Amino acid sequence: MDWANLFTVALGAILVNNFIVAQFLGICPFMGVSKKVETASGMGLAVIFVMGLASAICWPINELILVPLGLTFMQTVTYILVIAALVQFIEMFLKKSMPSLYEALGVYLPLITTNCAVLGVVLQNTQNSYDFITSVVYGVTGGIGFLLVIVIFASIRERMEFSKCPKAFEGFPIALMAAGLVALAFMGFSGLKVFG
Amino acid sequence: MNARKQLMDGLFYQNPVTVQLLGMCSTMAITTTLFNGLGMGVSVLVILTLANIIIAALRKIIPNNIRIACFIVVIAGFVTIVDLMLQAFVPALSASLGLFIPLIVVNCIILGRAESFAYKNGIGASAMDGIFQGLGYTMILVIMCVIREFLGNGTIMGGLLEIGKDGNLIFGLGTAAGIRILPESIPALGMILPVGGFITLAVLIAAMQYILNKPKKGEKKTEEVAK
């Protein structure tokens, strides 16, 4: 196994090609549930979980079913169904066996189905033809990058609550501006190369 | 349903991006040249209209409990069709939008309209809703593209037109470099990077809020009296 390669993929997913600020995936939950640090971190944890699992499940489905049958054009449909079913299944499983975690994640679990970061990570795994382990690492670290940015952004937003801004910018636009500045900060990582 | 009211809602009062705040991922990600923006806008318009029609037609059959799953299957089907068509007929667009074509499946605008409009209204009204909401989305994309391309790259009409060596306008789908307005040293590269997307959209939404919330003369007076 190529540890250096895995490390590069992980670092890329967390910092350099961060899902939110560099690739624009998962903006809706990013803007929607980032008003408080607690809810933001709950959402981030749920996303790590689902992105990792979705990567792990979609890889064998693609390699063992879709590719041998020549059905690769059905990828989008299959993946979204797998993700929807997976989210539903996780919800039922957590409700039965880990009620405390279930309550902590609350309404954010069902919302993840339409999070484009999850579908995005699965599609990217296929496009980059990652092997199984790389796919899972990419999924989990992508989720960690999501958690990192959403928590940073939520703490900025908590501070912003009480500061004055022009009336037209109140609420959503000023939050977008702040997100732009977070993106600008993360651009600093864009030249980062570890090996080679 | 009043078609004129639906049109105004789609373009301004209930604009999917600037008022309902849906579908922001694609709005910010792909609006770097006019070609991308127009292509994305039209793709979403087509998918939204077709999905609305089918969901409105099947609304009495789809059980309430599993409606979201049904919507997603319908939408994913149309997205796959459009994706394959683009790959076949407009490969340049398919290459430059890349991942964001299959990601239309999870574009909240389409699921949102299916849930809040097509599932409750007839086929005709739903088709109109799809077209007008799609137009509203396309309009915002085009505005974003023009602003970002001009400030970030110094060109307009990127991917559609360019000026040839003999001074004629050349039409090149996806290949044309655009008509250069600003010299190359002036534009701020940041505007076509992610930062520019966030900031341009923020300013657009703020402008929309300002226009829509501007009190008319009569209203202002009552407000002052109340104070």
Side-chain angles (χ1 to χ4, degrees):
Chain A
M1 200 187 314
D2 192 353
W3 288 102
N5 188 27
L6 279 187
F7 186 70
T8 316
V9 166
L11 199 71
I14 296 178
L15 295 178
V16 187
N17 286 317
N18 186 287
F19 273 82
I20 299 176
V21 292
Q23 302 188 43
F24 284 119
L25 296 172
I27 301 284
C28 298
F30 174 62
M31 303 302 297
V33 290
S34 55
K35 288 205 175 112
K36 284 213 173 97
V37 174
E38 282 163 28
T39 51
S41 42
M43 181 70 179
L45 289 174
V47 167
I48 296 181
F49 198 53
V50 175
M51 274 169 83
L53 263 181
S55 304
I57 293 177
C58 288
W59 191 87
I61 288 182
N62 184 44
E63 294 293 314
L64 303 178
I65 301 177
L66 294 181
V67 172
L69 294 179
L71 286 174
T72 45
F73 62 90
M74 291 291 282
Q75 268 163 359
T76 314
V77 182
T78 319
Y79 289 166
I80 190 73
L81 284 179
V82 168
I83 292 170
L86 179 70
V87 170
Q88 197 83 132
F89 179 74
I90 294 175
E91 203 181 339
M92 291 191 295
F93 177 74
L94 287 184
K95 206 173 180 178
K96 274 265 158 66
S97 57
M98 287 182 243
S100 55
L101 185 61
Y102 176 75
E103 262 165 40
L105 297 180
V107 297
Y108 305 117
L109 258 181
L111 277 182
I112 293 177
T113 313
T114 55
N115 183 340
C116 38
V118 180
L119 187 59
V121 79
V122 180
L123 287 169
Q124 278 181 355
N125 283 336
T126 315
Q127 256 177 20
N128 300 340
S129 41
Y130 284 152
D131 59 17
F132 181 72
I133 297 195
T134 319
S135 297
V136 176
V137 168
Y138 190 58
V140 172
T141 50
I144 294 175
F146 186 93
L147 175 73
L148 178 70
V149 173
I150 201 170
V151 167
I152 293 177
F153 183 58
S155 29
I156 295 177
R157 252 180 120 167
E158 276 187 352
R159 290 244 174 153
M160 236 160 40
E161 199 97 316
F162 303 106
S163 43
K164 280 188 176 177
C165 74
K167 197 150 193 299
F169 273 92
E170 262 169 27
F172 200 79
I174 197 74
L176 267 182
M177 280 285 188
L181 295 181
V182 175
L184 189 64
F186 267 76
M187 257 171 63
F189 293 115
S190 65
L192 199 63
K193 267 187 191 164
V194 187
F195 301 105
Chain B
M1 266 292 157
N2 186 341
R4 194 186 148 78
K5 184 178 169 292
Q6 276 187 306
L7 175 65
M8 294 307 284
D9 273 354
L11 289 185
F12 303 105
Y13 302 117
Q14 288 295 323
N15 186 290
V17 183
T18 54
V19 179
Q20 301 179 48
L21 308 173
L22 298 172
M24 281 172 299
C25 304
S26 52
T27 311
M28 289 190 270
I30 50 94
T31 47
T32 47
T33 64
L34 190 61
F35 174 66
N36 282 355
L38 267 182
M40 187 72 182
V42 174
S43 312
V44 169
L45 195 157
V46 170
I47 296 169
L48 180 58
T49 312
L50 292 174
N52 263 4
I53 292 175
I54 296 288
I55 288 166
L58 296 177
R59 69 184 188 282
K60 301 227 167 77
I61 307 172
I62 298 176
N64 202 31
N65 292 333
I66 53 159
R67 63 182 192 286
I68 302 285
C70 298
F71 296 163
I72 288 183
V73 175
V74 172
I75 296 167
F78 283 120
V79 170
T80 308
I81 295 172
V82 168
D83 189 11
L84 294 177
M85 299 261 273
L86 287 179
Q87 279 176 24
F89 298 114
V90 202
L93 185 64
S94 184
S96 79
L97 292 182
L99 200 60
F100 282 91
I101 295 273
L103 281 180
I104 297 177
V105 178
V106 283
N107 190 322
C108 330
I109 295 176
I110 302 177
L111 201 61
R113 291 322 285 178
E115 168 81 10
S116 69
F117 197 94
Y119 196 55
K120 294 171 191 153
N121 290 286
I123 298 177
S126 301
M128 297 284 244
D129 183 72
I131 295 173
F132 296 145
Q133 292 282 329
L135 277 180
Y137 177 70
T138 313
M139 182 182 83
I140 297 297
L141 284 192
V142 167
I143 295 175
M144 295 261 304
C145 289
V146 171
I147 296 174
R148 286 180 72 188
E149 199 189 332
F150 179 69
L151 293 178
N153 204 14
T155 58
I156 55 169
M157 311 287 277
L160 290 174
L161 290 172
E162 66 181 347
I163 297 177
K165 278 175 190 152
D166 48 357
N168 291 333
L169 279 179
I170 300 173
F171 185 75
L173 210 55
T175 51
I179 301 165
R180 184 157 288 284
I181 308 276
L182 299 174
E184 274 176 39
S185 55
I186 295 180
L189 185 65
M191 286 305 282
I192 50 173
L193 293 174
V195 193
F198 281 111
I199 290 174
T200 318
L201 189 62
V203 173
L204 263 184
I205 294 176
M208 206 76 164
Q209 280 191 0
Y210 179 73
I211 295 167
L212 291 181
N213 294 339
K214 207 175 182 179
K216 286 173 188 138
K217 276 179 188 169
E219 288 172 19
K220 203 172 189 177
K221 266 180 195 162
T222 55
E223 223 171 68
E224 275 163 13
V225 170
K227 270 176 192 170

